[in-house]
Amino acid sequence: MREETDFLVIGSGCAGSSFALKAAEFGKVLIISKAELKETNTRYAQGGIASVMYHPDSFGKHIRDTIKAGHGYCNEDVVSMVVNEAPARIDDLISMGVYFDRDNEGKYDLAREGGHSEYRVLHHKDNTGEEIQRALSEKVKQHPNITIYENHFAIDLLTQHHLGEKVKRSRSDIRCYGAYIFDCSTSEVTTILSKITVVATGGIGTLYETTTNPLIATGDGIAMVYRAKGIIENMEFIQFHPTSLYDPGVRPSFLITEALRGFGAVLRNRAGEKFMNRYDERGSLAPRDIVAKAIDNELKVSGDRYIYLDCTHLDADKLVNNFPNITGKCLTLGIDITEEFIPVVPAAHYLCGGVKADMDGQSTIDSLYAIGEVSSTGLHGANRLASNSLIEALVYAHRAAMHSVKRLNDIELEYRIPDWNFKGYSHPEEMVLVTQNYREMQLIMSNYVGIVRSDLRLNRALNRLELIYKETEELYRKSLVSRKLCELRNLINVGYLVIKMANNRRESLGLHYTIDYPDRKGIEF
Ligand code: FAD
Ligand code: SIN
């Protein structure tokens, strides 16, 4: 089976949906989502979306905060561009019907999070992502130029490789012609030929045992682009959110937003000490990498399983009004946050690196764009400033759309691409191996490639992963395609890239902290 389109958008989160809405004014768009349209990382975002709104905030301050949080490893042109274009993208969201909370005077109620020197985070209660996803999903469903395939899984990108040519990463003329798409209900694979292809597949949290990310976050876009011989970078910078609710066995881990600390909540250890003051003058509101490392250290020293977030000194009515979801979720576990401390632990949350993309979202493969969390743009450097990722996705979706529509008339579809070759045969009894390897991989990554690393741990992880890689590739060759098996294969690929890039960085920098090399800035734990 084959289909044709102008724009193939893989992913229906903030990045994919907002790209689709802009591109649909110029051509036919097909959105592919491997789950339900709304099941995205975007939907789970809590704290909000950063943009300079009012005096005394300024673009200069947002730029400085972003670069400082990123440990100076950011691309300063990119930071400046994103910060300057952010207000226009917020206007887009508002005109699409997204509601942000306002204060009594009608001004937007701005929150503050770790590393921000000003209040600049627009939000909708503590479920901003759900509100954004709601509005975007409604709009894409209504658009006459947009077709949506839910429960369809992108397996691989189409390049000259599929025309029988040898494609090396060093080649500068690799081109993307679309993708093979697996229908999870019928198990059929369709060849989608597209003039422009966009990977907006989100993050990789599922690589770890404990993550705030939903199950869809399996790094598919990164693995697909890597297999297509595109360039992937900065994979060692994995952000662990300091405060996910301690609720063993529950996936994904429920996030306790950093905005709660911006609202005045403080971290305490089991002895009741506000331990963050020992690590950073900004205390509980230090940037994420610093807080996560400090918590990791406290837990290792004390042997405790969690630390506490204390909201009990805050105005109870305002607390419940501003954070209704967190209040409700904690109550289901018998915790009244107005009176009791919340037990929290760090959890894998966000990938700063990914598919290398330029300022228009173009990957190193022609006709292929990478936008949103899957991309590595240079905005976040070695550590992302809180609430900078939704805005990055919107800014790049806009730029990629504006850039790609100009190229549309110059690109021909490549009809010589063959259809998917259904090799292999079904092996249902061996699916247990997939589940088992999935678990093992998560354990390896959590135990050896977590917040604190070392050469020994990284090498051990690589050796262990190698075995799982070989078994899984063997299984993939023998089996009929399935979403679970493809995701495992992609995650192993992503894990490999994380370890390799971590191994190559012979220093501690931001989110990559290793006991074998000192921090560039001399911060030690
Ligand atoms: P996503 O929203 O994750 O969308 C990915 C899409 O790709 C999904 O539709 C998925 O089904 C699809 N997909 C993936 N692989 C395939 C495949 N192989 N085939 C077909 N479809 C595929 N950021 C902020 O700025 N502010 C916040 O307050 C904030 N809070 C957060 C809270 C939580 C709990 C989490 C998990 C993240 C938070 N983030 C926040 C980060 C932010 O939500 C994400 O980085 C952002 O939403 C990513 O958007 P995206 O469009 O790139 O990807
Ligand atoms: C949060 O609300 O703490 C998450 C914000 C983010 O990841 O940017």
Side-chain angles (χ1 to χ4, degrees):
M1 290 214 317
R2 45 181 56 214
E3 282 185 38
E4 298 172 15
T5 187
D6 293 321
F7 302 94
L8 170 62
V9 181
I10 308 171
S12 56
C14 171
S17 296
S18 51
F19 174 94
L21 286 166
K22 302 228 162 171
E25 301 305 313
F26 302 88
K28 257 175 55 184
V29 179
L30 174 58
I31 300 183
I32 300 291
S33 175
K34 70 176 173 181
E36 253 189 290
L37 191 72
K38 64 176 189 204
E39 183 56 358
T40 60
N41 267 14
T42 299
R43 176 191 175 194
Y44 292 81
Q46 287 189 1
I49 180 160
S51 174
V52 173
M53 296 299 286
Y54 309 119
H55 181 78
D57 200 5
S58 67
F59 291 143
K61 286 182 186 173
H62 191 183
I63 290 169
R64 272 195 298 282
D65 291 347
T66 301
I67 294 172
K68 194 169 175 197
H71 291 254
Y73 197 63
C74 311
N75 177 328
E76 297 193 9
D77 292 337
V78 167
V79 177
S80 173
M81 180 271 284
V82 172
V83 166
N84 278 280
E85 293 185 11
R89 302 291 73 84
I90 296 289
D91 286 347
D92 288 349
L93 280 186
I94 293 167
S95 67
M96 282 179 212
V98 173
Y99 291 99
F100 292 116
D101 291 352
R102 292 173 185 264
D103 64 18
N104 294 338
E105 291 162 19
K107 287 170 84 178
Y108 287 106
D109 176 52
L110 303 177
R112 195 174 155 198
E113 294 178 72
H116 288 274
S117 59
E118 292 289 350
Y119 287 80
R120 66 167 72 96
V121 180
L122 290 118
H123 62 100
H124 179 273
K125 300 286 180 198
D126 55 354
N127 65 347
T128 312
E130 200 172 332
E131 171 62 7
I132 293 175
Q133 189 68 54
R134 175 200 63 73
L136 290 173
S137 295
E138 276 173 19
K139 289 281 175 207
V140 294
K141 279 183 188 163
Q142 286 160 7
H143 203 294
N145 259 358
I146 301 180
T147 304
I148 300 163
Y149 288 170
E150 292 177 292
N151 299 308
H152 280 64
F153 183 91
I155 309 172
D156 262 323
L157 299 167
L158 307 171
T159 66
Q160 290 96 330
H161 168 77
H162 298 91
L163 299 173
E165 291 179 31
K166 188 142 189 86
V167 178
K168 287 191 165 170
R169 214 170 297 283
S170 53
R171 214 173 129 164
S172 60
D173 65 342
I174 309 173
R175 222 187 107 190
C176 180
Y177 305 117
Y180 287 130
I181 306 292
F182 174 72
D183 180 337
C184 303
S185 323
T186 64
S187 296
E188 279 171 1
V189 178
T190 304
T191 309
I192 309 274
L193 299 180
S194 183
K195 293 183 177 174
I196 301 288
T197 304
V198 179
V199 271
T201 46
I204 62 152
T206 311
L207 196 53
Y208 288 86
E209 248 193 316
T210 308
T211 178
T212 61
N213 292 190
L215 292 178
I216 54 105
T218 55
D220 301 333
I222 293 167
M224 279 193 287
V225 174
Y226 187 69
R227 282 196 294 273
K229 305 286 188 247
I231 294 184
I232 311 293
E233 63 178 17
N234 293 330
M235 294 293 289
E236 64 275 39
F237 300 121
I238 293 174
Q239 187 166 67
F240 289 79
H241 197 292
T243 55
S244 78
L245 184 63
Y246 177 72
D247 192 6
V250 172
R251 281 184 79 89
S253 298
F254 183 80
L255 184 75
I256 306 291
T257 178
E258 199 161 305
L260 202 47
R261 278 176 277 140
F263 192 71
V266 288
L267 291 162
R268 295 183 187 273
N269 56 22
R270 290 253 271 188
E273 182 204 3
K274 292 181 188 171
F275 62 90
M276 272 313 300
N277 297 338
R278 276 192 273 118
Y279 295 88
D280 192 286
E281 62 197 12
R282 290 162 288 187
S284 293
L285 262 189
R288 251 173 227 181
D289 55 332
I290 296 174
V291 181
K293 267 182 275 181
I295 295 175
D296 188 74
N297 193 50
E298 289 292 304
L299 296 181
K300 284 197 175 121
V301 169
S302 65
D304 291 334
R305 296 200 164 168
Y306 48 83
I307 47 104
Y308 287 118
L309 189 64
D310 173 11
C311 312
T312 56
H313 54 290
L314 302 173
D315 180 309
D317 289 340
K318 285 190 186 154
L319 180 64
V320 173
N321 183 50
N322 282 10
F323 301 97
N325 289 306
I326 291 176
T327 309
K329 173 69 185 179
C330 289
L331 272 180
T332 66
L333 300 183
I335 305 163
D336 176 354
I337 69 169
T338 64
E339 296 190 347
E340 292 159 280
F341 295 172
I342 310 171
V344 290
V345 282
H349 182 63
Y350 183 84
L351 174 67
C352 293
V355 179
K356 184 177 162 70
D358 71 10
M359 283 171 88
D360 292 308
Q362 291 188 101
S363 74
T364 52
I365 297 178
D366 189 30
S367 307
L368 180 71
Y369 292 75
I371 54 174
E373 187 166 341
V374 71
S375 66
S376 172
T377 63
L379 175 69
H380 310 305
N383 174 48
R384 176 178 65 105
L385 182 68
S387 288
N388 258 358
S389 101
L390 290 169
I391 199 65
E392 178 194 43
L394 289 174
V395 167
Y396 274 88
H398 173 83
R399 291 182 76 90
M402 294 306 114
H403 189 267
S404 60
V405 297
K406 285 191 224 134
R407 305 192 51 213
L408 210 52
N409 292 335
D410 303 330
I411 302 175
E412 300 287 331
L413 294 177
E414 177 49 87
Y415 291 103
R416 292 173 301 160
I417 295 285
D419 279 342
W420 178 258
N421 176 6
F422 281 90
K423 46 193 184 278
Y425 50 93
S426 185
H427 248 280
E429 78 274 17
E430 294 195 18
M431 285 314 276
V432 67
L433 299 180
V434 174
T435 322
Q436 191 52 34
N437 278 354
Y438 215 102
R439 269 199 226 112
E440 274 182 45
M441 175 206 63
Q442 287 170 333
L443 280 173
I444 292 169
M445 294 303 291
S446 302
N447 290 337
Y448 303 126
V449 201
I451 298 172
V452 174
R453 301 164 182 176
S454 72
D455 285 349
L456 184 71
R457 290 179 205 173
L458 291 176
N459 289 330
R460 189 169 280 195
L462 200 58
N463 291 337
R464 303 278 197 281
L465 203 63
E466 176 85 26
L467 186 65
I468 298 181
Y469 163 77
K470 283 186 183 148
E471 286 175 5
T472 307
E473 285 302 306
E474 173 74 15
L475 193 60
Y476 183 77
R477 270 193 298 278
K478 286 199 297 196
S479 308
L480 280 175
V481 68
S482 77
R483 172 177 157 185
K484 198 79 194 157
L485 182 53
C486 287
E487 287 180 339
L488 172 64
R489 199 170 165 244
N490 289 340
L491 278 168
I492 291 171
N493 191 169
V494 167
Y496 165 81
L497 291 170
V498 173
I499 299 167
K500 272 297 203 198
M501 292 189 197
N503 245 333
N504 289 344
R505 181 168 291 288
R506 312 202 76 74
E507 63 178 339
S508 287
L509 178 63
L511 294 165
H512 173 65
Y513 179 73
T514 156
I515 54 174
D516 292 323
Y517 302 94
D519 192 282
R520 257 194 205 182
K521 287 186 182 162
I523 303 169
E524 281 189 35
F525 287 89

